[in-house]
Amino acid sequence: MSGKVVVTGMNIISSLGLDLKSNWENLTEGRSGVRKIRLFDASENITQIAAEIPPEFEEYSRQYIKKERVAR
């Protein structure tokens, strides 16, 4: 084995963005992806902050999910 590595692509999905460019820009500008929880009512929880992924993720992810037909 030669020990060589080939990187064919990079991406990241985090609370700072849905792609590598957005994440890097937000990170280098000192932004934080941690904020008050919005996905559900966390008022009864001890912790009310989290690093949630952006709300646009739902739409973004649809292009990668293949829906299969279910025979009935």
Side-chain angles (χ1 to χ4, degrees):
M1 199 149 106
S2 69
K4 293 182 182 180
V5 175
V6 177
V7 177
T8 60
M10 288 178 45
N11 196 16
I12 184 171
I13 295 174
S14 79
S15 60
L16 293 175
L18 298 177
D19 58 39
L20 185 62
K21 184 176 186 266
S22 301
N23 273 277
W24 183 250
E25 287 173 357
N26 286 321
L27 186 65
T28 57
E29 291 175 12
R31 293 196 178 113
S32 172
V34 178
R35 58 184 53 95
K36 192 167 176 136
I37 295 172
R38 300 182 203 164
L39 291 175
F40 59 91
D41 179 10
S43 61
E44 300 291 321
N45 298 352
I46 294 170
T47 301
Q48 297 179 5
I49 61 170
E52 298 174 323
I53 56 174
E56 301 82 26
F57 175 73
E58 192 72 36
E59 180 67 31
Y60 174 82
S61 66
R62 286 193 183 112
Q63 64 186 314
Y64 300 104
I65 299 172
K66 183 178 179 181
K67 295 199 177 191
E68 309 241 351
R69 293 183 185 204
V70 178
R72 294 182 186 205

